Amino acid sequence: MPLTRRRFVHAATMAASALALPRLGHARARAMVLVPMDDAQGAHLKAYGVAFRALQRGETGEWLLNYRHGAFLLPASDAVRRDAALAGVTLEAADPGAVATIHAEMAGGNMEAVPLEQAPKVAVYAPPNAAPWDDAVTMVLEHAGIPYDRIWDPDVI
């Protein structure tokens, strides 16, 4: 079988990951959980909340764009597992070898790993007396369990 560019890049990435794995101090060197966002996930919106709360606790992870519909890699901490269980969010174990395999697969395609290091501050422009179900954004944030500030400036109207 001829060596294609894709197979070469995949093999080189796997070799580099295997060599670097013991020295890395971030997500690739510790046990992680994969939060799939494809059909394996039954609680997509709540999964965003699990990732958000992990960041609020000071944990770090990765958002895997275009990998399993935008899956998350989060630390395999008791807090993440408990939060996911309470929210009905599906998790998959990802040891360092599995994480290296995921990153190698991503290197061969149109995928990107975005580091998640800090919880964002979320605000929604909505009237203060509006019920959460009056606005799709606030409804989603409430369902996911993501805290947000409501901003309203009557002078804009």
Side-chain angles (χ1 to χ4, degrees):
M1 192 187 293
L3 184 63
T4 63
R5 181 178 185 275
R6 176 169 278 182
R7 289 182 59 221
F8 173 77
V9 169
H10 176 73
T13 304
M14 291 297 289
S17 296
L19 291 173
L21 196 58
R23 294 187 307 260
L24 293 175
H26 54 77
R28 296 179 188 173
R30 61 180 192 237
M32 305 291 282
V33 290
L34 179 75
V35 183
M37 295 300 279
D38 55 11
D39 290 340
Q41 184 59 259
H44 291 86
L45 294 177
K46 293 203 179 254
Y48 287 104
V50 169
F52 184 88
R53 288 185 293 279
L55 294 174
Q56 276 187 317
R57 287 189 299 272
E59 298 178 287
T60 60
E62 294 179 342
W63 191 4
L64 309 178
L65 302 179
N66 289 340
Y67 179 81
R68 294 189 65 181
H69 298 256
F72 295 100
L73 265 178
L74 299 174
S77 68
D78 290 339
V80 168
R81 291 179 189 276
R82 183 175 42 257
D83 190 9
L86 291 172
V89 172
T90 302
L91 299 179
E92 298 175 9
D95 62 20
V99 172
T101 301
I102 289 168
H103 284 106
E105 182 180 336
M106 291 176 64
N110 182 26
M111 297 176 246
E112 184 78 28
V114 177
L116 299 174
E117 299 170 339
Q118 184 176 351
K121 183 137 175 73
V122 181
V124 177
Y125 191 76
N129 57 350
W133 53 85
D134 288 342
D135 180 77
V137 174
T138 57
M139 194 164 67
V140 166
L141 291 171
E142 292 285 335
H143 182 73
I146 297 174
Y148 61 94
D149 292 327
R150 191 180 298 257
I151 299 173
W152 184 252
D153 185 359
D155 293 336
V156 173
I157 303 223

